[in-house]
Amino acid sequence: QLADARELYALLTGRVSAVTGQAALDPATNKYVAFGPRTRAGSIDVYSGFVQDSWRVTPTLTVNAGLRYDLQTPFVASNDIMTSVTMADVCGLAGIGSGGTYSKCNFSQPNATSGKAIPEFVQLTKGTQGYETDKNNFSPSVSFAWRPNVQSGVLRTILGNPDQATLRAGWSVAYERQGMNQFTGVFGANPGSTLDLRRDANIGLVPAGESWPVLLSQTNRLNQASFNETPAFPILTRENRADSISAFAPDIKIGRAQTWTVGFQRALGDDMAMEVRYVGTRGDQQWSTLNYNRIDGNNLRVDVLRDNGFLGEFQSAMANLRANNAAGGSRAGSFAYYGAGTGTAPLPIYLAYLNGRTDATNAAAYTGGSSTWASTTFASRLAAVPNPGAAASELDTNLTRRTNALKAGLPATFFVPNPRVNNVNVRDSGAFSDYHALQLELRRRLSKGLSASVNYQYALENGSAFDGFSFGRVMEGSGNVRHAIKGQWDWTIPVGRGQRFGANMHPLLDAIFGGWSMNGVGRIQARTLDFGNVRLVGMTTDELTKMYKFYRRTNASTGRVEIWMLPEDIILNTRRAYSVSNTTADGYSASLGAPTGRYIAPANSATCIQARAGDCAPRTTII
């Protein structure tokens, strides 16, 4: 255990591997101070006014209506320690697009290089607004209550007591106010408010003229890195994606929610009433963050991979891997092009990134073997569970491979619009959601010592998902509490003075046995579980729902009793469906084998690759 031994030896002998520290910009002096506190301060102002009135239109109809206006000013910095960027810096080399939430940069032009080559950070000085003012924040509201007051006939039977039968409905709009961390978390994430004073083996821990090791006892060698205490703006982004950008979309809107409800209440006897309600909420202009430079994961930008031609080449690489595995020998496990008549196709993009060459039709150009074309890292993305987003990310996030691609003539913006930086996190107001609920409520007022309330709710909740800049966001279902029964009750036991039993009992007995009550609350709920964008093989969603429960099994290896949530065959074959190999004919793990029977599988397969969620499997699988 050499690594453990070396670490233990270094600890016991006091060897130092790094000296860390941070300098923070002092808002009072505008100078960097070693180990100083960082205070990110700012404010927003909210000005509101409303008018509201109530009209009793008839003895049985009441109407309420109002209009509110909210002016929420943009975030304004209260000191000078944070930094911001313009949209030109956000879009970088690709350049600014035509506008709109999903076309602020030239996302669909992989060869665009007319923008800003070196983005920069400017000081967000005191009093500077972080984005434009959203002035269109009117909040109307209207509601009514109507008592039918039917005294006889069939409707009297249906509606019940005229004093209790009431129909209510309403609609309103409300705007959201964000917490301060939403603002300081964006502007404070940019470089400028702090300096890293770290010194390690790669950054001057042992300068010229000194020797290893650096010992804990050598206090004169444990100082932090030197720095210039005077900040210099603008701050240019560093090479090789050493920086990330955080910004607000300049036209960001204030999030809002529209809520509407319709309910009917009627009496059930003298002491009970029942109400049936529908409640709906639609949220729009909701804030979310998109990483403009991300090409895999949640922001799966397969649309970009399609536009730049990589998706088509990725499918050719999949075919190459299958052909080479079928041929066997030295070709097994490789997705390289082996020449005419071999069943393989040239891969110019891969060749540019992996070998820095342009002669894609030359089979001899595909060199590197296990470190490139037969590498498990690259080839496994082409097997039974293809993943073009991860494959593109592995090419683009490596400096050597990016250098190769530039050498071969591919543009720096081939995969991302801003190749100078790592992440480009932009907060916009393009998200949305909705909520629908049916509510049944039974209430018993206090009578004969008993009061109670029971409520049942059936709810559906949906949220928006980002599908890429070509598609935007779409609504999809999400896991939530689908069914909920809640109840509370209070019963005064009728024993004691003035009660039904023991009305004249002795004061001592009354103190012991009188005045007692019983109360309680209860809740039963059934919530949903979202398995996500997956394929169900050999079973339906209803069948999966019925099988999702506790299973008690004894582990053959340990003899211990274990609890699992699905039958053993589904778990085993689901593991097989997600375990891939780049050397087997079917693309699945040689040790586990291919899945059979019933199982949960990834959305992508050898025969279908999604351009957006839902193309090859349901967007959500909710049970």
Side-chain angles (χ1 to χ4, degrees), residues 87-88 91 94-109 112 114 250-251 292 417 469-470:
M87 282 307 299
C91 296
I96 296 177
S98 58
T101 303
Y102 307 115
S103 56
K104 284 183 164 52
C105 304
N106 286 320
F107 298 118
S108 60
Q109 301 178 34
S114 60
D251 58 350
Y292 285 8
F469 293 101
S470 295

Side-chain angles (χ1 to χ4, degrees), residues 321 333 335 369-383 394 580-583:
L321 180 64
F335 63 99
S370 60
S371 64
T372 51
W373 303 97
S375 166
T376 302
T377 301
F378 300 121
S380 62
R381 303 299 186 190
L382 306 164
E394 285 159 356
V580 300
S581 170
N582 62 304
T583 58

Side-chain angles (χ1 to χ4, degrees), residues 158-436:
I158 296 174
L159 300 177
N161 186 340
D163 293 332
Q164 292 286 332
T166 307
L167 177 67
R168 298 183 179 89
W171 169 74
S172 63
V173 178
Y175 286 86
E176 185 177 21
R177 185 178 67 80
Q178 302 287 348
M180 292 303 293
N181 65 313
Q182 290 278 0
F183 310 103
T184 58
V186 171
F187 297 115
N190 289 325
S193 58
T194 61
L195 294 177
D196 187 3
L197 305 182
R198 179 184 179 89
R199 296 169 58 233
D200 57 27
N202 299 316
I203 314 175
L205 181 61
V206 180
E210 298 184 13
S211 60
W212 291 92
V214 178
L215 301 176
L216 193 63
S217 58
Q218 298 172 317
T219 56
N220 62 318
R221 301 181 66 184
L222 304 183
N223 56 293
Q224 74 277 0
S226 59
F227 63 95
N228 184 355
E229 66 176 13
T230 303
F233 294 98
I235 300 173
L236 302 182
T237 52
R238 295 170 292 177
E239 294 181 346
N240 303 329
R241 302 186 181 180
D243 296 308
S244 290
I245 285 175
S246 293
F248 276 92
D251 58 350
I252 194 168
K253 306 297 183 184
I254 306 300
R256 67 176 184 177
Q258 300 184 64
T259 302
W260 52 94
T261 179
V262 178
F264 177 73
Q265 173 187 288
R266 64 153 294 172
L268 298 176
D270 295 333
D271 301 325
M272 298 181 65
M274 180 177 184
E275 185 170 359
V276 180
R277 285 189 303 269
Y278 162 73
V279 178
T281 299
R282 167 76 182 196
D284 57 4
Q285 300 178 181
Q286 295 175 333
W287 288 14
S288 70
T289 300
L290 296 180
N291 183 354
Y292 285 8
N293 262 12
R294 189 166 185 176
I295 53 179
D296 67 338
N298 294 330
N299 299 349
L300 185 57
R301 294 179 53 199
V302 177
D303 51 342
V304 172
L305 307 186
R306 175 201 60 202
D307 294 339
N308 66 12
F310 180 76
L311 186 57
E313 183 168 312
F314 179 85
Q315 293 171 313
S316 296
M318 290 174 58
N320 285 6
L321 180 64
R322 291 193 296 269
N324 289 335
N325 284 338
S330 61
R331 290 172 57 181
S334 171
F335 63 99
Y337 170 61
Y338 274 85
T342 61
T344 58
L347 305 174
I349 299 173
Y350 269 107
L351 185 65
Y353 274 92
L354 296 181
N355 295 107
R357 299 182 62 157
T358 59
D359 49 344
T361 57
N362 177 14
Y366 294 78
T367 60
S370 60
S371 64
T372 51
W373 303 97
S375 166
T376 302
T377 301
F378 300 121
S380 62
R381 303 299 186 190
L382 306 164
V385 185
N387 192 333
S393 180
E394 285 159 356
L395 294 177
D396 185 65
T397 55
N398 181 274
L399 175 60
T400 300
R401 296 173 199 135
R402 291 200 305 271
T403 303
N404 285 343
L406 291 173
K407 174 185 173 183
L410 289 182
T413 56
F414 187 76
F415 281 122
V416 296
N418 199 335
R420 175 83 175 187
V421 298
N422 185 19
N423 297 314
V424 182
N425 297 313
V426 179
R427 190 155 297 175
D428 64 24
S429 52
F432 46 85
S433 63
D434 66 17
Y435 179 84
H436 305 277

Side-chain angles (χ1 to χ4, degrees), residues 135-136 155 254 258 316 472 497 502 546 601-602:
K135 298 179 180 179
N136 185 26
L155 285 180
I254 306 300
Q258 300 184 64
S316 296
R497 287 179 171 267
K546 293 176 182 178

